[in-house]
Amino acid sequence: MSDTKKPFLNTTRRQALGLLALGASGVVMTGLPGFTRAFAQGAKDAKGQLTIGFSQEPTVFNPHMPHIEVDEGIHFSIFDPLFYVDEKGAFVAALAAEVPTVENGGISADGLSWKVKLRDDVKWHDGTPFTAEDVKFTLELLVDPNFRSWRKTGHEYVRELTVVSPTEITWKMEKPFAPYPSILASTFITPKHALGSAADRNTAPYNNAPIGTGPFKWKDRVAGDYILLEANADYFGAGPHIGKLIYKYVPDLNVMYTQFKTGDIDVVGLQWITPDHYDEAKALEGKVVTVVPGSTVESFTLNMERPQFKDPKVRQALYHAIDKQSIIDALYYGLPTPTESYVPQQSFYYNPDLPKHEYSMEKAKALLDEAGWVPGEDGIRAKDGVKLAFTCSTTAGNHIREQVQQYMQQSFKDLGIDMTISNLPPAVMWGDYWMLSKFDTVIVGLDFLTGPDPDTSDFFRSTSSPAKGGSGQNTWQFANAEVDELLAKGGSLFVPEERKAAYLKIQEIMRAELPFLPLFQYATVRGHKQGVENVVFNINTRIDTWNVGSWTVS
């Protein structure tokens, strides 16, 4: 894999402090005015249609409710943030007229006062003008205690939100928070006039027929089949160039690949082309097929509130019993890279010194024996009345993950561990079953970082578990006071070299505690038909369609 995402390696302390909040996330900033995606003539010339295949079904269309990566494929098409992170790790203005910095007066030298200037030529899809009131509404919605917010981290420090004019908004931060720029870059702005009047914003009709400012407008949805979007002719950018955009749901990855071969799908999205098809796919006529390093980390995830997983020796034994390298070589054709961390290996904050995984059934057995997990008459180990038995779930139709499950199931059985495979359709799997921690174990791929920023408060902070009434994605129900302290410390520092120590330590703790067993960092096989241009891979976002407004089809 290329080693291209190491921002600020040559940045001095003085320079980093000068950039303050926007430099704090560890990415190179740009204050480009206006919207700078590379477009041609725009929506007036939009024609034709493009079909994108997803193996998971987008089901959450309000971008501020709990959701997973595939939902963001729709969000990027319909909505815009104030600014976004491009493939080079730079912030680029979107709804904001310019990226706020210390230099342009958008952020005070102490990082506490913010002033954001907005574009004056943006309309919502229903024709209503976009204003600072919509920004204020969005930031307040995210911390509304009556709303099922997917993320409060960072937004919870915003104070004194003030609409100065339709094109200017200011606020104070309770304390400087280094990750906030990256959080804002993944915060889509929603319309006050369409959602603000709803009696219950959790169940508002808007959530199933969203209105945005983005390059495409909501047209139709057939649940379990497809979502149809159409070009926004009033888009403030020069795009989109495609008249109709179809997101097609194909849960079986073999079927999705076949439809790509036959031309029924123009672009293969999440979960892409499986490695077992790579050799054939790269030779297909009329197709562009590329292996792309991704920020996603695949893991065997544990629900830490299940009694059998509270014993750290059980978690260690399970890890020893997984032959990661054989799984990568045999099932993934050697494409992914094994990892011990949740941080992408291209990141400036990656810890390369974590203990290396060792596949050893002998050590796994010794750990269980030592901890007092004794085989019963049925051969299944038990301790204090708790059997070492659990279910393992993932997306039904992902045939490679299903083979991984079978491989693990046999290894665990040899140790006296009973793992039952219980897979579910994506909409069920990644709904409340996942978000509210109703599972025992799950095989899942996650992007833990917020763009290039190393903050993982949403995933690891003890107050970020939805199952315990929190807001976030701590579905492991993991709680560690030292990690909480390190996350707070890391978020308060603005020089990458100074921040780094906190995040290296968090990686050490997660590797030792093992609430999830890291398997590998993705290397995904992406494919689209020839003639589809501007499909740019961006390790700083969670979905391929982050710049779909700039795609063209010849």
Side-chain angles (χ1 to χ4, degrees), residues 40 54-55 70 147 176 248 267 292 303 351 388 446 493 497 541:
F54 282 158
S55 66
V70 72
F147 180 68
K248 189 175 183 181
V267 180
V292 179
N303 186 338
N351 187 339
L388 201 41
L446 294 170
L493 299 172
E497 287 77 9
T541 62

Side-chain angles (χ1 to χ4, degrees), residues 203-442:
T203 59
Y206 174 90
N207 298 340
N208 292 310
I211 297 169
T213 59
F216 292 94
K217 301 166 65 173
W218 184 268
K219 181 67 175 177
D220 190 23
R221 178 194 181 210
V222 176
D225 193 355
Y226 68 87
I227 293 169
L228 173 62
L229 307 180
E230 63 181 4
N232 175 16
D234 294 323
Y235 193 50
F236 59 88
H241 306 293
I242 301 163
K244 293 182 179 179
L245 197 62
I246 299 170
Y247 285 98
K248 189 175 183 181
Y249 168 47
V250 187
D252 189 301
L253 291 175
N254 286 321
V255 173
M256 186 160 75
Y257 172 66
T258 299
Q259 292 190 9
F260 174 61
K261 284 200 302 180
T262 60
D264 294 317
I265 289 173
D266 301 311
V267 180
V268 181
L270 197 81
Q271 293 274 339
W272 310 287
I273 299 170
T274 54
D276 52 329
H277 293 306
Y278 175 56
D279 281 342
E280 179 189 31
K282 65 184 179 181
L284 291 175
E285 185 177 353
K287 311 292 184 184
V288 178
V289 174
T290 311
V291 178
V292 179
S295 56
T296 306
V297 172
E298 187 91 343
S299 71
F300 183 78
T301 278
L302 312 174
N303 186 338
M304 297 286 280
E305 285 301 312
R306 297 293 189 261
Q308 58 269 49
F309 301 134
K310 289 184 178 295
D311 188 335
K313 285 187 167 57
V314 169
R315 304 194 296 271
Q316 294 166 19
L318 290 171
Y319 200 28
H320 276 304
I322 298 175
D323 189 351
K324 288 204 293 189
Q325 194 60 56
S326 291
I327 289 171
I328 290 170
D329 292 340
L331 301 180
Y332 290 91
Y333 291 74
L335 293 177
T337 303
T339 189
E340 303 300 329
S341 175
Y342 58 87
V343 175
Q345 296 173 41
Q346 293 79 15
S347 171
F348 174 67
Y349 297 94
Y350 171 69
N351 187 339
D353 299 321
L354 301 176
K356 300 303 179 187
H357 169 264
E358 180 185 1
Y359 169 59
S360 173
M361 294 294 283
E362 292 76 16
K363 288 188 176 181
K365 181 178 183 301
L367 281 165
L368 294 174
D369 290 342
E370 178 185 333
W373 291 87
V374 180
E377 293 182 1
D378 57 359
I380 306 304
R381 291 178 182 264
K383 179 182 178 181
D384 299 331
V386 176
K387 279 197 171 187
L388 201 41
F390 52 85
T391 61
C392 178
S393 305
T394 196
T395 310
N398 188 322
H399 62 282
I400 294 188
R401 276 186 180 162
E402 290 170 347
Q403 292 176 62
V404 171
Q405 287 177 309
Q406 293 164 13
Y407 193 92
M408 290 181 177
Q409 185 182 49
Q410 184 57 55
S411 294
F412 295 160
K413 183 178 180 181
D414 293 343
L415 289 172
I417 300 171
D418 181 24
M419 185 184 94
T420 302
I421 298 172
S422 177
N423 295 335
L424 300 166
V428 179
M429 177 71 221
W430 308 117
D432 286 351
Y433 184 75
W434 167 251
M435 294 303 299
L436 296 181
S437 305
K438 296 180 179 180
F439 61 87
D440 290 341
T441 70
V442 165

Side-chain angles (χ1 to χ4, degrees), residues 492-545:
S492 69
L493 299 172
F494 287 86
V495 180
E497 287 77 9
E498 294 178 2
R499 298 184 75 196
K500 190 171 186 177
Y503 299 106
L504 294 180
K505 182 61 177 178
I506 293 172
Q507 290 171 72
E508 287 182 18
I509 295 172
M510 301 309 292
R511 175 60 180 84
E513 291 293 316
L514 293 176
F516 56 90
L517 315 182
L519 301 177
F520 55 79
Q521 181 180 337
Y522 277 28
T524 56
V525 183
R526 313 289 178 93
H528 59 83
K529 74 174 183 180
Q530 286 182 352
V532 180
E533 302 294 338
N534 292 330
V535 179
V536 179
F537 305 115
N538 187 346
I539 201 168
N540 300 303
T541 62
R542 305 204 303 172
I543 198 72
D544 311 49
T545 52

